[in-house]
Amino acid sequence: QYSRDLLQHALDHAGQGITVFDRDLRLVAWNRAFIDLYELPPDLVRIGANIAEIVRFNAERGDYGSGSVDELVAERIERIVHSPES
């Protein structure tokens, strides 16, 4: 709990939108700037939320362009999982 509180404090003071996901792609921590940057509903951003839920929300509102929502979600998740930063 102490480590999570320390991480949350650091995230809350960062100016950039930041999220932390575990190895199962479930949300562990985030900051307010992340919610504001992507204009996400607060009930979507919660501990344990799968990254696919957030990506699907963005795809459904057209953030990733036109096309099949399922395909857009799959492509985005694939990029996230296989990006050099992950």
Side-chain angles (χ1 to χ4, degrees), residues 65-76:
S66 61
S68 161
V69 169
D70 289 337
E71 288 177 16
L72 292 169
V73 170
E75 289 169 8
R76 188 64 124 189

Side-chain angles (χ1 to χ4, degrees), residues 9-49:
H9 180 73
L11 293 176
D12 288 342
H13 288 86
Q16 296 174 311
I18 300 172
T19 55
V20 178
F21 291 91
D22 66 15
R23 68 182 60 168
D24 296 321
L25 300 178
R26 299 212 173 270
L27 192 56
V28 175
W30 63 93
N31 64 0
R32 182 75 203 169
F34 170 74
I35 294 170
D36 294 343
L37 177 67
Y38 291 101
E39 299 176 345
L40 298 171
D43 61 317
L44 180 63
V45 183
R46 64 191 184 290
I47 291 176

Side-chain angles (χ1 to χ4, degrees), residues 1 5 7 11 13 17-19 28 30 35 47 54-56 65 67 76-78 80-81 84:
Q1 181 64 38
D5 290 344
L7 174 61
L11 293 176
H13 288 86
I18 300 172
T19 55
V28 175
W30 63 93
I35 294 170
I47 291 176
I54 296 168
V55 171
R56 179 167 295 282
R76 188 64 124 189
I77 298 293
E78 181 71 18
I80 291 168
V81 169

